[in-house]
Amino acid sequence: MITELRNTYIHNSHQICFEKNLNPNDLPSPKDKLPESVLEQKKRSLDYTISVARKFMTRLISDLDGTAVLICITDHEGYILELYGDEMMKWQIESLGLSTGIRLEEEKVGTNSIEMALRLGQSAQLIGSDHFFRCLHESACFSVPFLDSGKISGTITMMMAASHVSPYHLGLLQSAVDSIEREVITKKQNKKLLVLNQVLMENSRNGVIMTNEDGKIVEINPYAQKVLASQNDELCNRQIAEVAIIGEFMENVLRGSEKYEDIEISISNKNFLFDSFPIYDESNQIIGAFGQFRDITDRLVLERQLMLSEKLSAIGKIGAGLAHEIRNPLTSIIGLLALLKQNFKTADHKQKDYFRIIFSELERIKNLVQQFVMMAKPDQKEILKTSVSLHALIEDTLALMESDFYSKNIKIQYRPFYKDEIHIDKDKIKQVILNMLQNSYDAVDFDGNISVVIQQSQLDNGIEIVIRDDGYGMDKDTLEKLSTPFHSTKKYGLGLGLSMSYSIIEWHGGRIKVESEHGKGTTFIIWLPQT
C-alpha cells in the first residue's frame, strides 16, 4: 500500500512538472530566495530542533563513516534552513541553486522528497530516476517530517549517492528524528522548569540554598543572599560549613545523620524557621543538601501581641472585680482614719509617722486598684475625644513635674513644632505623657537631660510626640517586655504604667515606638492620627 502510494505520487509529480514546462534535461532554476532577516526568523522559531538535530545528525554522519552524506533541514513550507555534511555534495547542490532560503517546490525544482514528505505527512524517499531532473539521478534522498507541538513543523533530509543506498538508511533517519523529537520535548520542558524555578527562586520570600555532595554551594536565591548579607559570587562555590548558623545543620544533612524541620534560628536580629534535607539521585545516593529558611519575626510579634491582649483582658476582668470589692471599703478606711487622726491628739512624732506611713500605703493600694481598672479595655463611649491643643497639654504636664525635675537638676528642652489641635481624650493622653516623663525622670541621674518635641510625622498623616532622655537606657530583654503588664525594673514599680500607656494609645488608633540602648538613653515616639 505504501509502495503503491509512493509510486502514484512520483508519477503524478512528474506529470505536474511536465505541465509546468520543466525540462528534465535542464538544471533546477529556483529564483525566489528569502531575505536573510526572514531566514533568521524562521531559524529562530525552530532553534531547539535545529540545535538538537545538528547533534544527532553529526553523530549519524560519523556512524556512516566512508559514506558522503548531506543533511538538509527545512521548515513546514519547505524552505531550506540548514545544509551541512559532505562539503563536495554541498557545493554541488548549491551550484544547482539549492541553498538556504530556497523553497523546494516541485513546480520549480521538480519532484523532491521534502515536498513529498510534507504533502503525504510521512517519510519519503527518492532514489535515482525517481527525481524529475536527470542531474539528480545519481543521488538518493530520504526525508522524514518532524513534529513540534503536535503538528508537522518541517523535515530532516539525508542525501547520498544512489550507489551507496542501503535498505536501513530510511529507518536510521526515522530513528534519529524520533530521538530528536523526544530531545526537543525534554529540552522545552526543562526550559519551562528552569524558568519556573528561576521565578520561584528570584521571587520567593523564603531563603533557599543548595549544595552538591561535597558541601559546595551551587545555588542561592536573592532573599538568602540578602539575609546572609552576601552576594551570589561570594557564596557560590564556597563550602556550606563556612556559612554561619545554617552551615552546621546542612553539614549534618550531607553526612546522612540528620534531617531538620522547623528549627528556630536567629539571623541579623530576625527570627526564622529553618528546614534542611538531603537531595537523592535515582540510586538513592545523597548528591546534595537543600536548605530553606522563612522569616517568622512578624508572626512572633503578633503572637506576643495576642498574648498581651489576652493578659490585658484578664487583668481588666480582675480590675473590675477589685474595683467593686476593694475600692469602696478602702475609701471608708481612708475616711475613718482621717477622722481618727483629727481626733487623736498626741505630741509623739512616732505616732504621727505611723499615720503618715499608713496613709501612704493606703494610697499605694488605691493607686494599684485604679491602675487595674484602667487596664480594662473601655468601649468607644469611654474614649471621650475632644479638640485639644497638645502644646498646652504638654506645657501643663511639664509644669506638674517641675518640682521633680528641679530636685534632680534635670534640664528640660521643649520644642513644640506643631501647635494645632487634634481630637484626643485629654485626660488619658495626659496620663500617657506623665507615665513617659516619669519613666525618663526615673532613668536619668542628677544633671540629666530630657527633651520633648511635638512634630508632624514625615512618613504619614499623624502627629508625633518624641520624649528623649540621656538616662541609663534599657537592654534588649527589657525593651522587648516594655509593654508587658507587671514587668518592671524599678524597685517599687508595679509594671502597669507603660503597659496602660500602650493600651491608651492603641485605643486612639496610634502606636508607640521605643528606641533605647543600655547606658545611652531612651527615646519614646508616640504617634497619634491627626484626625
Side-chain angles (χ1 to χ4, degrees):
M1 184 69 179
I2 294 176
T3 302
E4 183 180 345
L5 178 63
R6 173 181 176 277
N7 293 336
T8 300
Y9 179 89
I10 293 172
H11 173 76
N12 292 337
S13 177
H14 285 188
Q15 290 298 116
I16 292 171
C17 291
F18 282 118
E19 291 173 4
K20 295 298 180 179
N21 297 317
L22 296 181
N23 188 337
N25 296 315
D26 291 339
L27 297 177
S29 57
K31 295 181 174 59
D32 298 328
K33 187 174 182 180
L34 288 176
E36 194 66 30
S37 60
V38 178
L39 176 61
E40 287 302 316
Q41 185 177 354
K42 282 181 172 290
K43 290 175 71 173
R44 280 196 299 272
S45 68
L46 290 172
D47 58 350
Y48 280 118
T49 301
I50 291 172
S51 63
V52 173
R54 182 175 284 275
K55 179 179 69 174
F56 277 89
M57 300 314 295
T58 301
R59 189 183 304 158
L60 186 146
I61 292 172
S62 177
D63 291 341
L64 295 173
D65 186 33
T67 302
V69 176
L70 184 67
I71 303 299
C72 174
I73 300 177
T74 73
D75 70 356
H76 68 286
E77 295 179 308
Y79 284 102
I80 299 175
L81 304 181
E82 287 243 321
L83 275 175
Y84 53 86
D86 184 80
E87 289 298 324
M88 179 59 70
M89 290 186 68
K90 183 179 178 183
W91 176 82
Q92 290 174 342
I93 289 298
E94 288 179 340
S95 67
L96 297 176
L98 303 177
S99 60
T100 55
I102 293 297
R103 185 178 183 183
L104 296 173
E105 299 176 277
E106 65 180 23
E107 296 177 356
K108 296 178 180 179
V109 300
T111 305
N112 62 87
S113 62
I114 291 170
E115 186 160 11
M116 181 178 175
L118 289 172
R119 286 192 177 185
L120 296 180
Q122 62 185 35
S123 301
Q125 63 179 12
L126 296 178
I127 301 174
S129 59
D130 292 338
H131 295 96
F132 178 76
F133 288 106
R134 288 192 175 91
C135 63
L136 296 173
H137 283 187
E138 298 298 322
S139 64
C141 295
F142 305 94
S143 295
V144 177
F146 60 80
L147 302 179
D148 187 10
S149 301
K151 61 181 180 180
I152 293 177
S153 297
T155 66
I156 297 178
T157 297
M158 183 170 65
M159 184 177 182
M160 62 179 64
S163 58
H164 294 156
V165 169
S166 169
Y168 73 85
H169 279 139
L170 182 58
L172 189 66
L173 181 60
Q174 287 173 330
S175 296
V177 172
D178 286 343
S179 298
I180 290 167
E181 287 177 344
R182 287 194 298 271
E183 181 77 9
V184 168
I185 291 172
T186 301
K187 201 169 183 179
K188 287 186 175 182
Q189 289 174 340
N190 288 342
K191 184 180 180 182
K192 288 180 181 179
L193 291 174
L194 179 61
V195 170
L196 179 60
N197 178 63
Q198 287 176 340
V199 170
L200 292 174
M201 290 283 284
E202 294 291 325
N203 297 286
S204 175
R205 294 299 298 164
N206 289 352
V208 177
I209 189 166
M210 288 183 280
T211 75
N212 61 15
E213 66 273 19
D214 298 321
K216 188 178 289 186
I217 298 170
V218 295
E219 190 73 55
I220 180 170
N221 74 338
Y223 185 74
Q225 295 172 32
K226 179 181 177 182
V227 171
L228 299 172
S230 298
Q231 296 299 317
N232 191 31
D233 55 355
E234 292 179 353
L235 281 179
C236 266
N237 297 318
R238 287 175 58 184
Q239 290 298 122
I240 190 63
E242 299 176 26
V243 180
I245 302 173
I246 68 172
E248 184 178 351
F249 291 112
M250 296 186 71
E251 278 279 293
N252 290 338
V253 170
L254 286 170
R255 288 194 290 266
S257 59
E258 295 287 348
K259 178 181 179 181
Y260 299 96
E261 291 185 26
D262 295 335
I263 302 296
E264 191 167 335
I265 61 175
S266 179
I267 305 175
S268 302
N269 296 322
K270 287 194 171 184
N271 297 301
F272 297 88
L273 282 183
F274 176 71
D275 306 319
S276 186
F277 49 83
I279 303 171
Y280 297 98
D281 63 9
E282 60 276 4
S283 303
N284 206 35
Q285 298 296 312
I286 294 178
I287 59 172
F290 174 89
Q292 69 171 356
F293 47 88
R294 50 197 180 278
D295 191 348
I296 59 167
T297 306
D298 291 341
R299 192 187 83 185
L300 292 179
V301 169
L302 289 174
E303 287 177 354
R304 283 196 290 266
Q305 289 176 345
L306 180 59
M307 291 173 64
L308 176 59
S309 177
E310 291 174 349
K311 287 181 181 179
L312 293 178
S313 176
I315 291 170
K317 293 175 182 177
I318 295 171
L322 284 172
H324 180 72
E325 299 295 336
I326 299 176
R327 192 161 49 185
N328 290 338
L330 188 62
T331 302
S332 300
I333 292 170
I334 293 173
L336 290 171
L337 276 173
L339 290 174
L340 181 61
K341 183 181 178 183
Q342 290 176 0
N343 296 325
F344 189 78
K345 305 297 182 181
T346 181
D348 189 344
H349 290 290
K350 286 188 177 181
Q351 297 292 337
K352 291 180 180 180
D353 285 341
Y354 293 157
F355 271 107
R356 180 181 57 79
I357 293 170
I358 290 170
F359 277 110
S360 174
E361 293 303 304
L362 286 173
E363 284 298 325
R364 284 191 64 210
I365 294 173
K366 183 179 178 181
N367 184 53
L368 175 60
V369 172
Q370 184 62 28
Q371 290 191 56
F372 268 118
V373 173
M374 285 298 298
M375 292 306 295
K377 185 175 180 180
D379 56 32
Q380 292 300 315
K381 292 180 181 180
E382 292 184 76
I383 298 293
L384 303 176
K385 289 186 178 182
T386 57
S387 186
V388 176
S389 168
L390 271 178
H391 169 52
L393 182 64
I394 291 177
E395 278 192 327
D396 291 345
T397 308
L398 290 172
L400 282 174
M401 296 191 68
E402 186 175 356
S403 61
D404 292 325
F405 296 142
Y406 180 78
S407 68
K408 293 175 69 173
N409 197 28
I410 295 173
K411 298 177 182 65
I412 299 294
Q413 185 181 29
Y414 174 46
R415 291 177 292 172
F417 296 125
Y418 183 87
K419 294 186 178 181
D420 293 341
E421 295 185 346
I422 64 172
H423 280 77
I424 56 173
D425 187 312
K426 180 180 178 180
D427 292 335
K428 289 183 172 60
I429 295 299
K430 185 175 183 178
Q431 184 179 358
V432 171
I433 296 170
L434 273 170
N435 284 336
M436 300 297 181
L437 288 172
Q438 183 66 47
N439 195 80
S440 293
Y441 170 81
D442 293 336
V444 299
D445 292 324
F446 284 89
D447 299 321
N449 296 278
I450 297 175
S451 69
V452 181
V453 177
I454 312 174
Q455 62 190 16
Q456 184 89 38
S457 174
Q458 296 180 353
L459 299 177
D460 43 33
N461 185 29
I463 306 301
E464 291 178 344
I465 305 168
V466 182
I467 300 173
R468 182 176 289 110
D469 66 64
D470 59 358
Y472 52 75
M474 292 175 276
D475 57 27
K476 182 180 177 182
D477 182 62
T478 302
L479 199 59
E480 289 179 351
K481 297 177 180 177
L482 201 58
S483 62
T484 304
F486 302 111
H487 177 78
S488 177
T489 57
K490 299 176 185 179
K491 185 175 181 181
Y492 298 107
L494 300 175
L496 290 176
L498 286 179
S499 178
M500 181 173 60
S501 297
Y502 272 83
S503 296
I504 290 172
I505 295 302
E506 182 183 340
W507 302 335
H508 278 79
R511 58 182 178 268
I512 297 176
K513 180 181 178 183
V514 185
E515 299 171 353
S516 187
E517 187 174 347
H518 191 61
K520 293 188 177 181
T522 301
T523 299
F524 287 93
I525 303 171
I526 305 167
W527 182 90
L528 291 168
Q530 196 166 350
T531 54

